[in-house]
Amino acid sequence: MTNYKFHDELSLAETAENLGKEAIKLGLIPSFVVRFFPDSRQFYIPDETKSEPLTPEEAYLQLKKLVEEAAK
């Protein structure tokens, strides 16, 4: 059985933040920004061509992919 690191939007956002920090330590991204709102968070991962706000779900998936590919 798989143990998930998140079970709601808040824990998903926290997991995405942790993945962002790990990606920075691994040198995969130069930085990332999290904008906090009363009911949600927006993630910005700098890119050469665009820097669109990401939902916690989008940030989690993108950062997870980066970290997993670096581990290979």
Side-chain angles (χ1 to χ4, degrees):
M1 185 172 174
T2 303
N3 290 330
Y4 293 101
K5 297 179 182 179
F6 54 87
H7 58 274
D8 60 9
E9 187 173 349
L10 179 60
S11 58
L12 174 62
E14 290 171 356
T15 303
E17 281 186 57
N18 291 335
L19 281 171
K21 291 175 186 176
E22 186 174 346
I24 289 174
K25 285 181 186 177
L26 294 171
L28 303 173
I29 57 174
S31 64
F32 76 103
V33 175
V34 182
R35 293 182 68 195
F36 292 86
F37 295 96
D39 60 343
S40 65
R41 297 179 194 185
Q42 286 182 336
F43 291 78
Y44 291 87
I45 301 170
D47 189 340
E48 293 289 327
T49 58
K50 62 179 168 57
S51 185
E52 300 271 329
L54 302 172
T55 65
E57 294 87 357
E58 293 168 330
Y60 171 79
L61 292 172
Q62 187 172 343
L63 292 166
K64 182 179 179 197
K65 182 179 176 183
L66 280 173
V67 171
E68 286 179 348
E69 287 178 358
K72 290 182 182 178

